[in-house]
Structures are given as structure tokens and as C-alpha cells.
Amino acid sequence: MRLVLDWDGTCTVSDSLVEAIRHFGDPAVFKRQFDSYGDSLTAEVATIRAPAEEVSAWAADRIEVRAGLHDLISRFRPVIVSSGLPQLIRPVLEREGIEVDLRSNDAGPDPAGWRLRFRDEGPCPVCGDMCKRRSLPPERPLAYAGDGVSDRCAAGAADRLFARDWLAGELARSGIAFEPFETMDDIAAALS
């Protein structure tokens, strides 16, 4: 079974992008209403105005990985599929000594506001939004672990689901089977 992990809130204890916006951007953006997830993410990232090196150093110093991540990655060699940014993800992976296939959005740092670049062009043919589904590996069966709104469509393509937080609630409300997790050890035990 091919394993895919979300990054923020799944591999990490907190959402690095949300924390970066709170620290380097304008958290008031979280109170605004947007027509789509893609519009929301673009607006959120645009509030970051700090140099990329400063943001990356902050992420390496502050973002904590979830318990059991090292073991899960060494045993199952997952793909990480994230709506987040490499400027926040790669410094943490490097600090942890983790090498993994990372598929994420990107951003062009700019003092006037970072410019988000989506990994996949155009809206998803399934959900109509700028989601992560097209970044999933083609191998099947597929297990997916996630926690948030950005995981909703990608989770629909999986054969086995691990969920926590918002995603767990959404799947439960929709009557979709999933396995809850709090640590990466929970996922490793279930896949063993």
C-alpha cells in the first residue's frame, strides 16, 4: 500500500503556514470570507512579506514534528503532499535529517507580499478547487493521512484513510470510514 501524508497538522504538531502568517503576515486574513480554498490560500500567503531566509530559519527553529514521524518515514517511505510551502517544510525536514518525496505548492517571496504558485495548474476536475488530489502518486492501493480542509478532496481518492481534527469530523459527518490518529506511531501500527 502506498502511503501519502499531509504536512501541516499531520506530520507537524501545528500548521506551519498558519503559524508563519501569524508571525510574519496578517492574521486578520483568517477572518475574511473567500469564494474558494485556492483564493483563501493565495490571500493568506500574500500577507507574508519577510525574506525567505528569515521565514525558513524561523520554521527550522519553531516547527515541531509529530511523534513517530522518523520511524513511519523510514519504514513506509511515504510521499508528502502539501498545500504548504517548501520555504517552511524543507528546513524542518533538513533539521530532522529526513529525506522524502515532497510535493507542495511554492511561493515567490516578495517584500510586497509572497506570490503563491500552485503545484498543479487550474482547478481540480473533481472538486473544482485548487486542491492536492492531482499530486497524489498513481500507485494503488493508496493510504492517506490528513487533518484539514486541504485534505478533503485528496482523501476521497484513497483506499484507506487516517484522519484527525477537522478532516476526521468532516469524514464522520459524511459517513466515510477512517481510522483516527494522534501520532505517526498510530498510523505505523495500523499499517503493520
Side-chain angles (χ1 to χ4, degrees):
M1 181 163 286
R2 186 71 162 132
L3 177 61
V4 175
L5 304 173
D6 166 56
W7 177 253
D8 286 310
T10 300
C11 292
T12 63
V13 174
S14 63
D15 187 313
S16 63
L17 183 55
V18 169
E19 295 302 319
I21 292 163
R22 287 184 179 143
H23 191 80
F24 297 103
D26 182 1
V29 72
F30 298 127
K31 296 177 183 171
R32 293 176 45 199
Q33 296 293 317
F34 296 94
D35 292 333
S36 69
Y37 177 75
D39 291 346
S40 172
L41 192 60
T42 299
E44 291 165 7
V45 169
T47 71
I48 300 173
R49 292 178 168 77
E53 300 78 20
E54 183 180 344
V55 175
S56 292
W58 171 88
D61 185 52
R62 301 280 174 94
I63 301 303
E64 180 183 351
V65 298
R66 195 166 292 279
L69 181 63
H70 290 87
D71 181 58
L72 184 73
I73 287 178
S74 68
R75 289 177 59 198
F76 296 97
R77 309 308 290 165
V79 174
I80 293 176
V81 176
S82 177
S83 292
L85 307 175
Q87 293 92 338
L88 295 166
I89 300 169
R90 290 207 182 278
V92 178
L93 291 172
E94 289 171 11
R95 178 197 73 208
E96 296 294 324
I98 294 173
E99 291 185 24
V100 67
D101 181 359
L102 172 63
R103 301 172 186 186
S104 71
N105 292 326
D106 200 354
D110 188 311
W114 286 22
R115 294 174 320 281
L116 181 65
R117 293 188 296 260
F118 288 98
R119 176 178 164 82
D120 298 301
E121 290 187 29
C124 169
V126 176
C127 71
D129 207 344
M130 299 303 291
C131 79
K132 302 187 285 192
R133 189 180 192 122
R134 290 173 290 166
S135 292
L136 296 174
E139 298 94 341
R140 295 296 183 266
L142 183 73
Y144 187 91
D147 75 307
V149 173
S150 72
D151 300 306
R152 180 178 33 206
C153 187
D159 302 293
R160 188 171 183 183
L161 291 171
F162 297 94
R164 59 178 303 281
D165 204 26
W166 184 92
L167 183 61
E170 181 69 12
L171 294 172
R173 281 187 290 283
S174 300
I176 298 170
F178 69 94
E179 298 168 65
F181 76 94
E182 281 305 317
T183 69
M184 299 291 101
D185 293 326
D186 298 333
I187 297 170
L191 291 174
S192 296

